[in-house]
Amino acid sequence: MEIKNTLSKSPVLAHYNAKLPLVLSVDSSAYGLGAVLPHKYNDGSERPISCASRTLNEAERNYSQIDKEALAIVFGVTKHHQYIYGRRFIIRSDHRALSYIFGKNKGIPQTAASRLQRYAVRLAAYNFDIEFVPSNKNCVADALSRLPLEYTKQVYEQDCYSYLNFVEDKLPVTFNQIKKNTRTDTQLNRIIGFVKFGWPDSLQIVNDKIYFSKKDSLFLEHGCLVWGYRVVIPSSLRATVLNELHSGHIGVVKMKQLARNYLWWEGLDADIERVCRDCSACASQRDQPPPAPLHSWAWPTEPWERLNIDFLGPFRNKYYLVIIDAHSKWLEVDNVSSTSAAAVIHSLRKIFARFGLPKSIVRPVRMDLHFHPQNI
């Protein structure tokens, strides 16, 4: 009470002056929001015009840290609307990512969470610059966020829901089903504990590390885990969701594009590819692979360099070994008693005795001959 009385009296508190620049400092803790609006004087000093704080409600406490910091900006701007609307001012936040997301140079990214997009639309009515300041230079707003006023339900409950109600129309399962199955999912229960009570410096379980990399964008809504603007589906409901995605036998690319608009889980892309690959209806309509190109043998530079051999028969109960020189097209035909390796070797010995040894012999794959001309 003594601090409150000091802040509300001179020389701490100053009167509003339309000719002096305004700076809105905001901050969020795990359970509260704080905002202070000071005038900036020519000598560099600052005196507050108004201070405000409030406690986060049950749903807001489940927000990710970036959403809490963004909510602090919206709270500070809304609370001091009468001072800042229609004139340029500066917003100070100790969350560096928001200086890029709400900054004028880059703007709100298309892949940002829907809650951040709604905040950006609300802030679009104001003319401001946003700058990052270290936490040790944002002490007043930080103190107010850690000693907030009691939460009043009728004023600040407007942004707690809405997103899951929208997504529910696009999914084959309701958010109540997702909430129920999330409670029985061991991994998601562990991640929810981290979201509620804080993340450790490192994770020992390998499968949890992908969630650790997304920790700034994970939050709880209606008991469901949400990453950015996509609902995290528990393992027991993934088959149902995949069947719905593939109900029209759409391809892999369209399934991934549709899924990325509403939902996510670890290995989603691989599961979509597996469903499309195992679908018999899709396989029957899939294009056949292109035929393999024909292999052309290099033209031999001299006679008896490469020989092509094969069997002819049975013709009138006899077999013939046919030998063709690839260079001169010289033909040699020898009657053999059988197609055994011993009979072929005996025939080739006679032919090689007349013409010499070739450099290579080309035979059909079906001939089970394991020899080299040098061994004949």
Side-chain angles (χ1 to χ4, degrees):
M1 181 61 68
E2 183 179 351
I3 296 176
K4 183 177 179 180
N5 292 333
T6 302
L7 288 175
S8 60
K9 295 179 180 179
S10 180
V12 176
L13 202 63
H15 289 287
Y16 173 77
N17 188 340
K19 298 180 180 180
L20 294 176
L22 289 171
V23 179
L24 177 64
S25 298
V26 298
D27 193 28
S28 171
S29 65
Y31 48 84
L33 306 176
V36 56
L37 181 69
H39 268 315
K40 190 172 184 179
Y41 294 89
N42 295 331
D43 59 358
S45 62
E46 295 181 1
R47 291 179 61 185
I49 302 170
S50 172
C51 299
S53 65
R54 75 169 178 88
T55 305
L56 295 173
N57 61 34
E58 183 178 356
E60 291 169 342
R61 291 182 183 182
N62 294 327
Y63 287 4
S64 63
Q65 188 58 36
I66 189 173
D67 284 332
K68 290 179 181 177
E69 297 287 352
L71 180 61
I73 294 178
V74 174
F75 165 70
V77 169
T78 305
K79 187 70 175 178
H80 302 101
H81 172 82
Q82 59 181 335
Y83 298 111
I84 60 179
Y85 185 74
R87 59 171 300 179
R88 194 169 192 83
F89 61 98
I90 297 175
I91 295 178
R92 288 177 181 168
S93 173
D94 58 5
H95 199 282
R96 188 181 296 274
L98 293 179
S99 63
Y100 298 105
I101 293 176
F102 293 145
K104 62 180 180 179
N105 294 330
K106 295 186 178 180
I108 184 77
Q110 294 182 354
T111 56
S114 58
R115 180 176 289 111
L116 291 179
Q117 292 179 352
R118 294 197 300 272
Y119 290 163
V121 171
R122 192 178 304 178
L123 295 175
Y126 300 89
N127 187 12
F128 63 89
D129 295 318
I130 185 168
E131 63 180 30
F132 166 77
V133 294
S135 298
N136 58 1
K137 296 184 178 180
N138 200 28
C139 300
V140 178
D142 181 71
L144 291 173
S145 69
R146 299 178 188 277
L147 297 171
L149 295 177
E150 185 177 357
Y151 163 70
T152 53
K153 182 176 180 180
Q154 66 273 17
V155 178
Y156 298 107
E157 202 173 35
Q158 57 192 12
D159 194 54
C160 300
Y161 309 106
S162 76
Y163 180 67
L164 279 179
N165 296 329
F166 166 74
V167 174
E168 187 177 16
D169 297 335
K170 310 297 181 181
L171 296 178
V173 292
T174 64
F175 70 84
N176 284 324
Q177 290 176 294
I178 298 175
K179 177 181 179 181
K180 179 180 178 181
N181 287 270
T182 299
R183 291 175 179 173
T184 59
D185 192 297
T186 305
Q187 184 182 30
L188 293 187
N189 257 328
R190 190 163 55 249
I191 302 304
I192 288 175
F194 294 147
V195 173
K196 283 184 174 181
F197 306 109
W199 290 83
D201 295 334
S202 61
L203 296 178
Q204 301 299 326
I205 302 177
V206 177
N207 293 337
D208 290 350
K209 291 184 178 180
I210 189 172
Y211 294 94
F212 185 79
S213 63
K214 306 176 187 300
K215 62 180 181 179
D216 291 335
S217 301
L218 286 171
F219 62 94
L220 284 177
E221 191 165 334
H222 278 324
C224 304
L225 192 62
V226 181
W227 170 49
Y229 58 94
R230 299 157 68 177
V231 183
V232 180
I233 305 297
S235 56
S236 55
L237 296 177
R238 293 171 186 175
T240 303
V241 173
L242 287 172
N243 291 334
E244 178 68 18
L245 287 173
H246 196 58
S247 59
H249 295 284
I250 59 179
V252 174
V253 175
K254 290 185 178 180
M255 281 185 67
K256 290 181 179 180
Q257 182 180 7
L258 183 62
R260 289 167 183 168
N261 289 330
Y262 306 105
L263 52 95
W264 177 83
W265 66 77
E266 183 183 2
L268 172 62
D269 289 353
D271 289 343
I272 289 176
E273 292 171 3
R274 174 183 52 79
V275 168
C276 292
R277 183 175 60 250
D278 297 342
C279 179
S280 57
C282 293
S284 64
Q285 301 297 324
R286 192 174 298 140
D287 294 337
Q288 295 296 325
L294 296 177
H295 173 69
S296 298
W297 289 92
W299 181 257
T301 58
E302 58 185 18
W304 215 249
E305 181 179 336
R306 186 178 73 240
L307 302 182
N308 299 310
I309 65 174
D310 197 1
F311 286 112
L312 174 64
F315 179 69
R316 294 182 180 180
N317 298 323
K318 293 182 179 181
Y319 286 94
Y320 299 91
L321 181 62
V322 181
I323 303 174
I324 300 177
D325 176 30
H327 177 82
S328 62
K329 307 304 180 184
W330 179 265
L331 178 65
E332 286 284 334
V333 180
D334 188 24
N335 184 10
V336 293
S337 58
S338 67
T339 59
S340 65
V344 173
I345 291 174
H346 177 71
S347 177
L348 291 179
R349 283 180 183 274
K350 296 187 298 181
I351 296 174
F352 292 165
R354 298 199 311 268
F355 299 100
L357 294 175
K359 291 184 178 180
S360 62
I361 296 176
V362 180
R363 56 182 173 82
V365 177
R366 64 178 180 273
M367 291 184 64
D368 189 18
L369 300 180
H370 302 282
F371 59 89
H372 190 273
Q374 298 290 344
N375 301 326
I376 298 177

